């Protein structure tokens, strides 16, 4: 039975993957299939569908265009996710999320050009949970919109507090997730936060990843234009990993390109990554954008990136993300 189901799934994948002719060329589609078998994997429709669904998510995790037969361990993962999502909802309601801030310096070693707000979740049992673990859950459950609103507001509040203390923090950057970027309430949330804390729009920078910006480029462009009209800065995060079209990039109302850490990690003079970094910097110059490198971990990287022409730098070597009071001490 299991073998028959597997063979059928395999055939379906092959058929679905055949290219489809459309007016302007060919498109390829792939599928992810989850299989649950009556009897061994359940007897009720609800149970079978839920198990097939869990198997489909495993197939997606394996890189899509794949099938998976259900196994009981797959539900364990789903239960853990559900529990963590509930914890996250509670943490948000109880105001237990916090922001850490990482400094961005003018190359090579200062002064500060701003700070980036990075979300932290101190979980009562599991300890500190980093955003890569819980942002995907927040996106799946829809919690991201409320979390995003909290982050924007909190970052603006903190900036106002620092300035009231007489600290010179030129700007604060906030990361936007894909769902948040496309949500209807985004503009209202941003202008509310700016007004509430009397922050000039130019002091807030929104970071969206290159891949978010390049998904449905025309729609993204419309959103970015409206954001730019508000007067906030726009930074294209994780740049170099998202297959930008140069034509489209030219039209983006961005203020900054942020070179992905992947190109900084193994950076050596004359190497392939150095050539890519140089190309991004040249692009930034042409388009009149600041270019910042993230993930600067060594003095060598700091110097080489400066030599190549990066306008600013961010990374553990220049300052780790830290709580607002620590950052204030560092700045003062
Ligand atoms: P990102 O925006 O690209 O942020 C940079 C990440 O690199 C941060 O991880 C930061 O702690 C880490 N980092 C900084 N310097 C170095 C370095 O020198 N070496 C290495 N190895 N890592 C460095 P973090 O805080 O875990 O955040 C991961 C990602 O989660 C962020 O990537 C961002 O995409 C997302 N994120 C963080 N905060 C938020 C938020 O408030 N909202 C949303 N939607 N996403 C967020
Ligand atoms: Mg970022
Ligand atoms: Mg990044």
């Amino acid at each position: 039975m299991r073998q028959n189901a597997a063979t059928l799934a395999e055939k379906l994948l092959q058929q679905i993957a055949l290219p489809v002719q459309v007016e302007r060329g060919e498109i390829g589609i792939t599928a992810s299939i989850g299989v649950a078998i009556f009897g061994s994997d359940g007897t009720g429709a609800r149970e079978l569908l839920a198990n097939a669904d869990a198997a489909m998510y495993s197939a997606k995790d394996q890189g899509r265009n794949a099938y998976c037969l259900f196994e009981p361990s797959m539900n364990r993962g789903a239960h853990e996710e559900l529990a963590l999502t509930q914890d996250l909802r509670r943490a948000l309601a109880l105001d237990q999320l916090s922001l850490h801030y990482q400094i961005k310096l003018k190359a090579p070693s200062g002064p500060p050009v701003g700070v980036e707000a990075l979300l932290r979740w101190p979980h009562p049992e599991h300890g500190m949970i980093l955003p890569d673990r819980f942002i995907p859950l927040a996106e799946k459950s829809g919690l991201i919109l409320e979390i995003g609103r909290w982050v924007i507001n909190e970052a603006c509040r903190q900036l106002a507090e620092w300035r009231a203390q007489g600290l010179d923090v030129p700007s604060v950057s906030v990361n936007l997730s894909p769902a948040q970027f496309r949500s209807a309430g985004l503009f209202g949330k941003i202008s509310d936060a700016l007004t509430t804390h009397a922050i000039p729009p130019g002091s807030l920078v929104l970071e969206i990843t290159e891949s978010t910006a390049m998904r449905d480029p025309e729609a993204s462009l419309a959103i970015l234009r409206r954001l730019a009209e508000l007067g906030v800065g726009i930074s294209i995060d994780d740049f170099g990993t998202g297959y930008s079209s140069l034509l489209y990039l030219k039209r983006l109302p961005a203020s900054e390109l942020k070179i992905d850490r992947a190109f900084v990690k193994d950076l050596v003079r004359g190497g392939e990554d150095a050539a890519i970094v140089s190309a991004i910097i040249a692009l930034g110059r042409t388009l009149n954008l600041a270019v910042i490198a993230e993930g600067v971990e060594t003095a060598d990287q700091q110097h080489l990136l400066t030599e190549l022409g990066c306008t600013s730098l961010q990374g553990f070597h220049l300052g780790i993300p830290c709580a607002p009071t620590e950052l204030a001490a560092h700045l003062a």
Side-chain angles (χ1 to χ4, degrees):
M1 189 57 154
R2 286 175 83 77
Q3 189 49 50
N4 289 350
T7 312
L8 180 61
E10 188 72 55
K11 275 193 193 152
L12 283 170
L13 287 176
Q14 279 168 8
Q15 287 302 312
I16 292 169
L18 292 177
V20 181
Q21 293 293 335
V22 292
E23 211 175 309
R24 291 160 71 189
E26 239 181 43
I27 53 172
I29 302 171
T30 61
S32 305
I33 300 180
V35 182
I37 294 173
F38 179 81
S40 55
D41 300 334
T43 48
R46 188 191 294 256
E47 188 186 2
L48 279 167
L49 279 174
N51 289 345
D53 208 38
M56 181 197 65
Y57 278 112
S58 302
K60 279 190 198 288
D61 286 345
Q62 287 177 16
R64 291 149 204 272
N65 195 26
Y67 70 89
C68 262
L69 299 174
F70 174 76
E71 280 163 34
S73 64
M74 288 170 182
N75 262 336
R76 219 169 300 134
H79 281 307
E80 273 164 25
E81 270 200 2
L82 196 64
L84 206 57
T85 305
Q86 277 160 357
D87 288 355
L88 183 57
R89 184 165 288 131
R90 201 169 315 124
L92 183 63
L94 298 176
D95 206 16
Q96 287 172 343
L97 297 178
S98 62
L99 289 179
H100 278 186
Y101 296 87
Q102 187 177 32
I103 201 159
K104 300 159 60 167
L105 296 178
K106 183 174 188 304
S109 51
V113 294
V115 296
E116 177 175 6
L118 295 161
L119 195 52
R120 295 293 179 262
W121 178 16
H123 189 284
E125 288 152 45
H126 307 311
M128 189 66 94
I129 306 186
L130 293 174
D132 285 336
R133 173 97 175 84
F134 67 88
I135 294 283
L137 297 183
E139 283 255 320
K140 245 195 231 174
S141 60
L143 275 177
I144 191 67
L145 296 185
E146 213 183 312
I147 292 179
R149 180 214 297 270
W150 181 85
V151 170
I152 293 168
N153 190 65
E154 174 58 19
C156 288
R157 190 204 61 74
Q158 185 61 62
L159 183 63
E161 185 182 313
W162 280 325
R163 288 183 174 173
Q165 291 166 358
L167 285 172
D168 181 20
V169 182
S171 69
V172 66
S173 302
V174 166
N175 293 284
L176 296 186
S177 79
Q180 207 185 345
F181 177 63
R182 297 189 192 283
S183 67
L186 181 65
F187 309 102
K189 284 175 193 167
I190 292 168
S191 41
D192 282 356
L194 293 172
T195 314
T196 306
H197 303 289
I199 299 292
S203 302
L204 179 66
V205 178
L206 303 173
E207 295 196 2
I208 60 157
T209 65
E210 183 188 16
S211 44
T212 301
M214 294 303 146
R215 202 172 308 142
D216 194 353
E218 289 303 323
S220 300
L221 196 59
I223 300 172
L224 288 171
R225 289 213 172 110
R226 275 191 74 186
L227 289 173
E229 273 165 24
L230 282 179
V232 298
I234 291 162
S235 174
I236 308 298
D237 205 350
D238 302 346
F239 190 78
T241 60
Y243 313 103
S244 281
S245 130
L246 294 183
L247 261 179
Y248 171 57
L249 202 57
K250 195 178 86 176
R251 295 162 64 206
L252 277 189
S255 39
E256 179 179 272
L257 293 181
K258 201 164 195 185
I259 301 177
D260 193 77
R261 195 162 71 220
F263 304 111
V264 175
K265 202 164 52 95
D266 306 312
L267 191 69
V268 285
R269 209 172 302 268
E272 201 173 277
D273 289 332
I276 295 173
V277 168
S278 293
I280 297 178
I281 290 166
L283 188 66
R285 284 214 180 109
T286 311
L287 300 176
N288 211 1
L289 303 175
V291 178
I292 180 165
E294 66 180 0
V296 182
E297 293 185 353
T298 68
D300 282 348
Q301 291 167 349
Q302 177 188 15
H303 294 131
L304 185 48
L305 287 162
T306 306
E307 235 172 76
L308 293 172
C310 275
T311 43
S312 26
L313 306 172
Q314 182 180 355
F316 295 161
H317 179 64
L318 307 156
I320 58 167
C322 56
T325 42
E326 279 172 68
L327 190 97
H330 186 75
L331 286 173

